[in-house]
Amino acid sequence: MNIVGIITFLSLSLLLMSLLLIYSKLQYQTLGRLAALITFFLLNAVPLVYIVYTEKGTDYASDSFKLGSAFMIVWLVTGVFLLIGILFRVQPGKDDFYF
């Protein structure tokens, strides 16, 4: 497996963990909210995986720009949701099973 595939897998794993961290702290964990989080994950994952897949077949430099832009968007979304998940985790006054 090449390095781009490994980075893609790790980036999407971190995004999924960030979304699941937010879901674990929601007051009402319904099936609809879980479906919305999975849909949001897929809306971010499918374009990245498609760009990585098509980048493997070409050798010219313009694809590197698309690949970098796709990773930048996914990393920004991951960073925002990870920050939101951490802020949900450290809410004062609530007992948490994991701490």
Side-chain angles (χ1 to χ4, degrees):
M1 180 177 252
N2 60 1
I3 190 71
V4 176
I6 294 170
I7 293 173
T8 302
F9 174 74
L10 292 175
S11 298
L12 294 178
S13 298
L14 188 60
L15 176 62
L16 183 63
M17 286 188 289
S18 301
L19 292 172
L20 291 177
L21 179 67
I22 292 172
Y23 179 74
S24 71
K25 293 303 286 186
L26 292 177
Q27 186 174 5
Y28 300 109
Q29 297 177 354
T30 62
L31 189 60
R33 289 184 180 182
L34 181 62
L37 285 176
I38 291 172
T39 303
F40 184 76
F41 173 75
L42 290 176
L43 285 175
N44 284 303
V46 169
L48 179 64
V49 171
Y50 176 75
I51 289 174
V52 168
Y53 177 73
T54 57
E55 189 268 337
K56 289 172 62 175
T58 58
D59 293 329
Y60 47 91
S62 67
D63 283 336
S64 297
F65 178 74
K66 290 190 293 186
L67 185 64
S69 299
F71 273 112
M72 183 183 67
I73 290 169
V74 169
W75 289 340
L76 285 173
V77 168
T78 301
V80 167
F81 279 104
L82 188 59
L83 182 64
I84 291 170
I86 290 171
L87 290 176
F88 276 165
R89 270 283 179 223
V90 295
Q91 288 179 345
K94 291 189 175 184
D95 294 333
D96 195 359
F97 176 73
Y98 299 110
F99 285 135

